[in-house]
Amino acid sequence: MNAGKRQTGIVAAVAREGRVHVAELATRYGVTVETIRRDLGALDRAGALRKVHGGAVPVPVSASPETGVAERELAAAPAKAAIAAAALAALEPAKGMSILLDAGTTTAALARLLPTGLDLRVITDSLLIATLLAPREGISVRVLGGQVRGMTQAAVGPEALDALAHLRVDVTVLGANGISAEHGLSTPDPDEAAVKRAMARAGRRVLALADASKIGQEHLVSFADTADVDLLITNAPLPDPLASQLSITGTEVRIA
């Protein structure tokens, strides 16, 4: 088999299997591992796959640009509503439960569903979520301090991080701009990533909510590994690389 046909087969294998290994490819094609490494290097430079230690994985989905709250409220609204309903069922809200809610339109959809009459304690970095919940009887709302990002209406900075360092809540609910096997949960803004990272540390249990458009995307800053998440709720089956990674880390996945 010539190099062109072999490389075409390698690209197809990556798409089909999610991850391929140098030694296995060398055996499959009857060539040396050095030849396979050269193939992977050429394919990586051509953008056909991503070369990683010991093998290769698919090229990540291009990260979409960050958008404001108003625009994101309209995007994938039915999916976000379904994810929020599944998240509420997973939370099983109980009297006196403490919930740390990340900024985001999917987490805001969950906030709208939280029941009254249970003396829930909600802490959030989101002005949008705080505004939604403040008038509700039986839900106490605490807003993290700090500078507010206009793009997401989320509080960031030292004040928010200091407050989170002293918290331990029953459940943290995170949003993300992207989730991938290699980069974990990610977001474009470093300050917001720092707050999300601190939120993950503060929760006894960590839920992540992400519609299918976020799956496979990799943004500038990773704020959590897949191992940091106890439950991921999305609205479509996951691709093999991410599904395999979550299986290894023991992260439960629910499809809304």
Side-chain angles (χ1 to χ4, degrees), residues 207-233:
L207 277 61
L209 313 183
D211 67 76
S213 69
K214 313 294 176 57
I215 303 303
Q217 288 203 36
E218 294 184 347
H219 288 263
L220 180 64
V221 187
S222 173
F223 61 85
D225 295 328
T226 54
D228 298 323
V229 177
D230 297 297
L231 170 63
L232 169 64
I233 302 177

Side-chain angles (χ1 to χ4, degrees), residues 168-228:
R168 189 67 169 164
V169 298
D170 294 318
V171 185
T172 290
V173 184
L174 295 172
N177 295 77
I179 303 179
S180 75
E182 296 292 327
H183 199 48
L185 284 68
S186 60
T187 194
D189 183 73
D191 291 333
E192 203 153 339
V195 172
K196 290 174 181 287
R197 190 175 298 114
M199 285 184 163
R201 288 196 297 264
R204 294 186 178 90
R205 184 181 180 213
V206 178
L207 277 61
L209 313 183
D211 67 76
S213 69
K214 313 294 176 57
I215 303 303
Q217 288 203 36
E218 294 184 347
H219 288 263
L220 180 64
V221 187
S222 173
F223 61 85
D225 295 328
T226 54
D228 298 323

Side-chain angles (χ1 to χ4, degrees), residues 69-122:
V69 172
E71 184 175 346
R72 286 187 289 120
E73 282 270 283
L74 301 175
K80 291 174 181 178
I83 291 168
L88 182 66
L91 277 178
E92 299 181 343
K95 191 173 182 64
M97 176 182 282
S98 56
I99 306 170
L100 189 52
L101 272 181
D102 188 14
T105 51
T106 309
T107 49
L110 170 60
R112 292 185 177 94
L113 299 180
L114 290 177
T116 57
L118 292 178
D119 296 322
L120 298 178
R121 295 172 291 166
V122 176

Side-chain angles (χ1 to χ4, degrees), residues 117-130:
L118 292 178
D119 296 322
L120 298 178
R121 295 172 291 166
V122 176
I123 304 155
T124 184
D125 61 336
S126 168
L127 296 186
L128 171 64
I129 289 175

